[in-house]
Amino acid sequence: MTVLHITDLEVAINYWRKHAPSTDGVALTPEVQVLAEVYGQMVFRHMVEIHTESLPTQAMAAWQAWYDTTPDTPCIAICSTSQGDDWCKGCGRSFEEVQHWLAYTPMQKRAVWRRITQQGSAWRFTRYIERATQS
């Protein structure tokens, strides 16, 4: 089973709040409402992950629409796995993750993104972060 992490819901909610703000400042837009209902239930139940099969269709559609706006790969075109490393120094993914990336589901990709972001040790987050923030 694939899962969705609560931080991905938070980011999607904030995306929709910015890109489809409330017209009256009070009512939630449909995307924010369906995502916030799931988020609220997760917080109430002290859950950090939810099985995607249990997401309402509208919440999954709103999450997927946000996901489609994100970069697909953490690659920075400096792949040390092609030189024999088990873990890429550039992006932080394992050789297997790099090799099978295109076959991964969005949830699998987000799990990898979450792990490499938390680790923060790849060049993507150290040596080359300055370039990314300048553009």
Side-chain angles (χ1 to χ4, degrees):
M1 284 191 187
T2 55
V3 295
L4 183 64
H5 197 270
I6 195 166
T7 56
D8 284 337
L9 281 175
E10 291 172 350
V11 176
I13 289 168
N14 288 329
Y15 168 84
W16 284 110
R17 288 179 62 216
K18 180 179 178 183
H19 288 87
S22 171
T23 56
D24 62 4
V26 178
L28 299 176
T29 60
E31 297 86 1
V32 173
Q33 184 173 354
V34 296
L35 292 169
E37 287 174 8
V38 174
Y39 182 85
Q41 288 295 321
M42 290 176 71
V43 169
F44 181 75
R45 294 183 179 135
H46 304 282
M47 298 167 58
V48 294
E49 295 177 333
I50 187 169
H51 293 285
T52 55
E53 296 81 16
S54 64
L55 282 176
T57 305
Q58 300 90 341
M60 189 62 191
W63 183 87
Q64 184 69 50
W66 161 76
Y67 174 81
D68 291 342
T69 69
T70 65
D72 179 61
T73 178
C75 182
I76 61 169
I78 302 174
C79 191
S80 67
T81 61
S82 64
Q83 305 301 316
D85 287 346
D86 291 333
W87 294 90
C88 179
K89 291 179 178 95
C91 70
R93 294 179 292 169
S94 70
F95 175 76
E96 181 179 317
E97 290 165 345
V98 171
Q99 187 177 24
H100 300 291
W101 189 257
L102 295 178
Y104 280 13
T105 66
M107 303 307 168
Q108 290 171 309
K109 290 178 180 181
R110 289 302 304 159
V112 172
W113 268 102
R114 188 170 41 262
R115 188 196 77 244
I116 65 172
T117 302
Q118 288 173 341
Q119 290 171 341
S121 58
W123 290 349
R124 157 180 268 291
F125 304 105
T126 57
R127 296 183 182 189
Y128 297 95
I129 193 67
E130 299 85 21
R131 290 184 191 173
T133 57
Q134 290 174 359
S135 48

